[in-house]
Amino acid sequence: MQALCLVAEVSPDSGKEVMVEEQGQRRWVALFRDGDEVRAYLNSCPHQGRSLNWAPDQFLLDPEGRLVCPHHGACFEISSGNCVSGPCVGAGLTPVDIEIIDGIICLS
């Protein structure tokens, strides 16, 4: 099990990006607070595969708490990863399985 970060490090206002290395491959994971829970998705928009952050550890959330892709404006529900508006409506973010152990977010 790989530790990613502390739950306290995931900003409720903008999320957090972490790098995961598995079997020699690196991938970036976006972490978001969803109430008392943390959601994790690959940091890749299904529209064109571009990252979802506009700066390191900075994700754009709209007033309703939905993730907004900075490149083409697609909006995603944090709770499900589903795109609810924009160029990839009906598509979804790729979830990443995590566990929280003693306040530490770990890759499952």
Side-chain angles (χ1 to χ4, degrees):
M1 194 170 320
Q2 180 179 350
L4 301 178
C5 68
L6 297 172
V7 170
E9 294 178 65
V10 180
S11 168
D13 299 323
S14 64
K16 179 161 183 67
E17 179 185 38
V18 295
M19 192 268 298
V20 173
E21 192 164 345
E22 292 181 303
Q23 300 172 0
Q25 289 194 324
R26 290 183 182 172
R27 58 187 177 144
W28 294 94
V29 174
L31 302 170
F32 301 98
R33 298 293 280 273
D34 184 21
D36 292 335
E37 296 186 35
V38 176
R39 305 283 184 203
Y41 301 99
L42 288 183
N43 186 11
S44 179
C45 180
H47 176 229
Q48 289 188 335
R50 296 178 73 180
S51 65
L52 293 161
N53 52 318
W54 59 272
D57 278 342
Q58 297 295 312
F59 294 88
L60 179 61
L61 301 179
D62 72 7
E64 287 80 35
R66 296 178 299 201
L67 172 63
V68 179
C69 176
H71 307 290
H72 298 104
C75 289
F76 301 90
E77 294 290 344
I78 295 294
S79 61
S80 65
N82 292 332
C83 181
V84 294
S85 69
C88 54
V89 169
L93 301 175
T94 302
V96 174
D97 292 330
I98 57 169
E99 292 180 53
I100 298 176
I101 302 169
D102 297 327
I104 300 171
I105 302 168
C106 301
L107 202 57
S108 291

